[in-house]
Amino acid sequence: MCGIVGYIGKKNSLPILLEGLKRLEYRGYDSAGIALVRDQRLIIHKKAGKVSDLISMIGNNGLSSELGIGHTRWATHGEPNDLNAHPHWDCKKEIAIIHNGIIENYATLKKKLQQDGHTIRTATDTEVLVHLIEEMYKRSNDLFTAVRLALLEVEGAYGILVISTKEPDKLIAARKGSPLVIGVGEHENLVASDAAALIHHTRQVVYLEDGEVACITANSFVTKTTHDEEIIKQVEEITIDLEQIEKGGYEHFMLKEIHEQPQSICNALRGRLLVNEGTAKLGGLESVKDKLLNTDRIILTACGTSWHAALVGKYMLEQLVRIPVEVDYASEFRYRNPVIRPSDVMFVISQSGETADTLAALREAKSKDATVLGIVNVVGSTIARETDAGVYIHAGPEIGVASTKAFTSQIAVLSLVTLFLGRQRGLSKEQGCLLAKDLSLMSEKIQRILQQSDHIKAIAEEFKHVQNFLYLGRGCNFPTALEGALKLKEISYIHAEGYPAAEMKHGPIALIDENMPVVFIVPQDAIYEKIVSNMQEVRARRGKIIAVANEDDNEIDHVSDHVIRVPRTYSYFGPIVNSIPLQLLAYYIAVARGCNVDQPRNLAKSVTVE
C-alpha cells in the first residue's frame, strides 16, 4: 500500500522524486524517504510523518543526483518512525531498497542473515531483503542478478526498487503482487507504484507482471523473470490528464470526487446504455456472452466499499435476472475452500484493480476453471489483465482514500450488467426501457442532491461531537446503510454501524437513547410502511432521526428530526442516489471535527497486502 517512485536519467532526480511522492501520498503517509546515488555514495533522508515533513527536513541543501528512489509508507512491520521508514540499506551502505508488500518468511531469512554476520537495525521485513541482496551480490558481482537471486528466496508480496553505489547507471525494479509501472522517457526512465506519479513526465508506460525483474538505465530497460528468462514488454499509452489528479479548487480530493459523480456516472453509462432498446451493450463482456447466459450461479467478490456495491448487485441480479448470486468477502474467499464449478461466473470488483485479497480470490477461482470477470477503475491494473474479460467503470482517478465516485460507478456498471443479462433471460423490453430511462436520468438526480450541501453541512454541525451512529435500511438500501456507516468510520473516527432496519429490535435497539443519532434510508417503496414503523421504535426511545427520503414524501417530517431529500428512483438503483447525502454527511462531520478526510489515520487507498 506504499507509494514508490524512482528516476534515472539526465535531470536532477530529487525534485522529481518529491513531486512523485506528493502524488502518491494517498497510498501511505506514515513516513517518507529518499535515497540518491552521488559521488559513489548513498545519500539517504527519511522521516516519520507526511511527505511535507521530509521536504522540510531536506530543505534547500543543493542535493543533486541523476539516480534516486523515493517511498511513502503505510506501516506493516515495525511502527512508523524515522528508523523504520524506507529506504533501507545493507551493511556497507552501498545498496538501498524501497519496498511495498510483505515478506512472509522474513523472520527465517533474518535469523540466517544474522548468523552470517549481517546487522539488522530495524523492525521491518524490508531491511532483511536488502541484506539478502547484499549476500547475493557477493556471489554474482551484478546488481540485477543479485536482486533476481534474492527474490527466489522470498515468500510473500513485493514491489521493490533497488540502487547501488557500485552500479550508478542502473535502477532495478521487481514485482510480485504489488504494482509497478515503468515510465519510458527520452534519455530518462521512471518507475512508480501508480501512473499518477509519471504522467507529468511521460505517457509511455510498461506494466510489470508478477515474477518480473527489470534492469533500467537512462536509455533502455531489460525485463526477465526471476528464473532468468527474458521477456519482451509492450509499451502502452496512458490517457489520464494531470488535471484529473488535482483538487480543482476544492478543499479536499474527497469533496471534489463527491461532486464529480454526475460526470462519473455519465462516463460509466456512455455508449453502453441503450435506452430505446431497454438494454445495455457491454463490449468487454462480448467474448464471454455465452458463459454468462448459460451459467446457473454468479459469484461477486470484493473488499470494503466494493463489497457493498457487490451486495447491491446481488439484489439487482437476483430480482431482475432471476439467477442465484453469492457475495463473498475476497479476504475470506479462498480460506474457506469454496465450492467453485467450471460453469460458475465470478465478478471481482476493485477500484484500484490491485487489491491483494481480491486478486487472491480471482486466482483461486481461475485455478478451478471458473470464468472470472473484472469490474475495475484503473486501466491496465493487475485484475484487468488477469481476468478473462470485464468492464471498466471509467470513474477517473480517485485520490481520496474513502471511496465515493468509484462506489456509485460500480453500482452503475452492475446495473448495466443486470440490464444486459435480464433482457437475455426474460426481462421484457417495456420493463427494460423503464429501467434504462431511470438510469439515464441518474446524473441529473445526483446534481439535485449536491445542491443540498449547505443543508447537510448544517446537520453535520449538530452531530459532530457524538460518539456513535446507527445507519438503517431495508432491501438494497441495507448495503447503502453499511456504506454510509463505513464512510463515517473511515474519515471522522466516529463509531458507526449499518444494519437491516428490521434487525434493530434484535439487539441494536438496546443502544438507542437521546444521544444516539440514527440515519434511516427510507424511500417510498413496497416496504416503506415497515421502515416507518422502525423509525417510530427509535422515536419512542428518544433517538435522533436523520431520514434520507424522497423529495415528494410529505409524511416523513412527522417522524424525523432532520430530512435529506433525494429524487425518486427505481428501487434497485436507489443506492446510487441515496449514498450521495451519506457521503456528504460523513465528509462535513469529519471536517467539523478537524480530521484529514483525504488521508485518514491507519488507512491507505490501495490495499496491496493481505
Side-chain angles (χ1 to χ4, degrees):
M1 294 187 281
C2 309
I4 285 176
V5 62
Y7 176 87
I8 185 167
K10 302 303 180 184
K11 299 174 185 173
N12 182 7
S13 64
L14 181 60
I16 295 170
L17 297 177
L18 294 176
E19 175 205 28
L21 290 181
K22 288 298 292 182
R23 296 198 185 282
L24 294 174
E25 195 166 21
Y26 69 93
R27 297 179 71 94
Y29 33 87
D30 294 334
S31 58
I34 55 101
L36 311 174
V37 172
R38 180 178 176 180
D39 299 329
Q40 295 186 314
R41 65 189 182 96
L42 279 178
I43 300 170
I44 294 178
H45 293 282
K46 55 183 186 172
K47 186 166 181 60
K50 310 287 187 184
V51 174
S52 58
D53 297 318
L54 173 68
I55 294 172
S56 296
M57 183 183 75
I58 294 172
N60 297 315
N61 58 11
L63 274 180
S64 179
S65 169
E66 295 178 349
L67 171 63
I69 54 177
H71 187 271
T72 180
R73 183 178 185 234
W74 187 88
T76 55
H77 291 65
E79 65 180 82
N81 56 30
D82 292 355
L83 180 64
N84 290 328
H86 296 213
H88 296 290
W89 57 88
D90 64 327
C91 293
K92 297 179 180 179
K93 206 172 184 180
E94 293 175 339
I95 303 172
I97 190 172
I98 55 177
H99 169 222
N100 181 13
I102 294 177
I103 307 302
E104 294 174 358
N105 62 333
Y106 88 100
T108 302
L109 293 172
K110 180 178 180 178
K111 183 177 180 180
K112 176 68 166 58
L113 288 163
Q114 287 175 324
Q115 289 173 347
D116 291 341
H118 290 264
T119 301
I120 310 293
R121 296 174 292 273
T122 73
T124 70
D125 55 333
T126 302
E127 191 192 356
V128 171
L129 182 51
V130 75
H131 287 278
L132 183 60
I133 293 169
E134 177 187 16
E135 195 67 23
M136 297 301 177
Y137 196 89
K138 295 175 185 176
R139 305 180 193 177
S140 64
N141 203 35
D142 175 74
L143 187 63
F144 188 30
T145 304
V147 172
R148 186 179 60 76
L149 293 175
L151 294 176
L152 293 174
E153 306 292 323
V154 165
E155 297 172 10
Y158 54 80
I160 62 169
L161 296 184
V162 182
I163 57 176
S164 173
T165 59
K166 291 186 173 182
E167 300 184 38
D169 60 339
K170 292 180 183 177
L171 171 59
I172 310 300
R175 74 155 282 178
K176 181 183 177 185
S178 190
L180 282 181
V181 56
I182 301 171
V184 181
E186 271 194 50
H187 307 300
E188 63 180 7
N189 285 306
L190 302 94
V191 190
S193 49
D194 191 314
L198 305 177
I199 61 173
H200 185 66
H201 306 280
T202 181
R203 293 183 176 277
Q204 304 301 308
V205 300
V206 172
Y207 295 98
L208 289 184
E209 303 288 349
D210 281 358
E212 293 182 351
V213 189
C215 181
I216 303 161
T217 69
N219 296 302
S220 66
F221 63 90
V222 174
T223 307
K224 292 186 175 183
T225 69
T226 51
H227 294 284
D228 205 25
E229 301 159 331
E230 189 162 348
I231 300 167
I232 305 300
K233 304 293 291 184
Q234 296 297 315
V235 178
E236 303 177 38
E237 185 168 349
I238 50 177
T239 57
I240 61 172
D241 295 320
L242 195 59
E243 292 76 17
Q244 290 180 281
I245 55 174
E246 302 290 352
K247 288 183 183 176
Y250 288 92
E251 186 178 356
H252 297 97
F253 280 113
M254 183 179 179
L255 185 61
K256 172 178 177 276
E257 288 154 10
I258 290 172
H259 280 265
E260 285 176 340
Q261 287 174 106
Q263 186 59 50
S264 61
I265 291 293
C266 274
N267 293 343
L269 301 179
R270 183 179 294 114
R272 297 164 166 174
L273 182 64
L274 306 179
V275 177
N276 294 331
E277 298 174 37
T279 188
K281 181 180 180 181
L282 296 168
L285 300 183
E286 197 62 37
S287 64
V288 294
K289 182 178 178 179
D290 290 343
K291 288 270 192 179
L292 272 167
L293 295 181
N294 293 315
T295 187
D296 58 3
R297 182 173 72 149
I298 291 175
I299 303 167
L300 306 176
T301 188
C303 297
T305 285
S306 298
W307 185 76
H308 297 156
L311 285 176
V312 177
K314 174 183 172 70
Y315 281 95
M316 290 191 291
L317 287 162
E318 289 195 336
Q319 178 67 23
L320 298 174
V321 183
R322 306 307 298 163
I323 188 169
V325 178
E326 178 181 312
V327 180
D328 267 285
Y329 277 117
S331 56
E332 294 293 325
F333 184 74
R334 65 174 172 154
Y335 294 109
R336 66 174 180 82
N337 192 22
V339 177
I340 305 171
R341 304 163 301 181
S343 61
D344 291 336
V345 171
M346 185 165 89
F347 282 91
V348 294
I349 308 173
S350 167
Q351 188 283 135
S352 68
E354 303 291 352
T355 310
D357 289 314
T358 310
L359 269 167
L362 181 165
R363 290 161 181 163
E364 176 76 10
K366 288 194 77 171
S367 73
K368 297 183 178 178
D369 297 323
T371 300
V372 185
L373 311 176
I375 296 177
V376 300
N377 190 31
V378 179
V379 176
S381 58
T382 305
I383 288 176
R385 298 197 304 276
E386 290 196 14
T387 44
D388 298 308
V391 186
Y392 285 116
I393 67 173
H394 295 311
E398 189 179 64
I399 306 299
V401 166
S403 182
T404 51
K405 64 177 180 174
F407 173 69
T408 51
S409 293
Q410 286 167 349
I411 298 175
V413 165
L414 285 164
S415 302
L416 292 173
V417 172
T418 300
L419 263 181
F420 169 71
L421 291 177
R423 285 301 314 281
Q424 300 287 331
R425 296 174 66 119
L427 186 70
S428 70
K429 180 177 179 180
E430 180 183 12
Q431 190 175 8
C433 287
L434 288 173
L435 295 172
K437 177 66 173 176
D438 195 49
L439 263 182
S440 73
L441 299 173
M442 204 59 65
S443 293
E444 175 190 325
K445 293 178 181 182
I446 293 172
Q447 194 63 58
R448 299 215 304 263
I449 300 169
L450 293 172
Q451 292 169 1
Q452 300 182 64
S453 291
D454 288 344
H455 171 56
I456 298 170
K457 185 177 182 179
I459 297 173
E461 280 292 328
E462 179 175 335
F463 294 103
K464 65 184 180 183
H465 294 304
V466 302
Q467 298 302 310
N468 301 282
F469 255 85
L470 193 60
Y471 288 71
L472 300 174
R474 300 195 72 161
C476 60
N477 280 306
F478 160 51
T480 312
L482 290 174
E483 176 62 13
L486 178 61
K487 287 284 106 39
L488 191 69
K489 280 185 279 197
E490 284 180 314
I491 63 171
S492 75
Y493 318 138
I494 293 173
H495 174 253
E497 295 295 336
Y499 266 87
E503 286 295 303
M504 177 184 61
K505 64 177 68 68
H506 296 281
I509 198 168
L511 300 171
I512 304 297
D513 61 18
E514 64 275 11
N515 298 314
M516 171 67 87
V518 182
V519 177
F520 278 92
I521 301 101
V522 53
Q524 286 183 304
D525 55 16
I527 52 176
Y528 174 76
E529 297 298 336
K530 293 187 179 297
I531 199 165
V532 169
S533 295
N534 298 141
M535 296 172 74
Q536 293 284 13
E537 293 166 352
V538 171
R539 193 172 178 84
R541 289 154 181 84
R542 299 182 181 180
K544 302 293 184 183
I545 294 178
I546 303 169
V548 176
N550 293 142
E551 291 171 332
D552 56 352
D553 185 345
N554 299 316
E555 304 298 321
I556 203 70
D557 295 275
H558 303 305
V559 289
S560 307
D561 297 282
H562 301 279
V563 180
I564 304 171
R565 303 285 180 174
V566 298
R568 189 179 293 272
T569 192
Y570 183 78
S571 62
Y572 294 100
F573 306 151
I576 297 177
V577 295
N578 295 333
S579 64
I580 307 298
L582 304 185
Q583 294 169 359
L584 287 168
L585 183 65
Y587 171 80
Y588 285 120
I589 288 177
V591 170
R593 289 167 66 92
C595 300
N596 185 339
V597 296
D598 284 339
Q599 297 176 351
R601 69 189 181 202
N602 303 332
L603 296 178
K605 183 66 180 173
S606 181
V607 185
T608 57
V609 296
E610 289 192 61

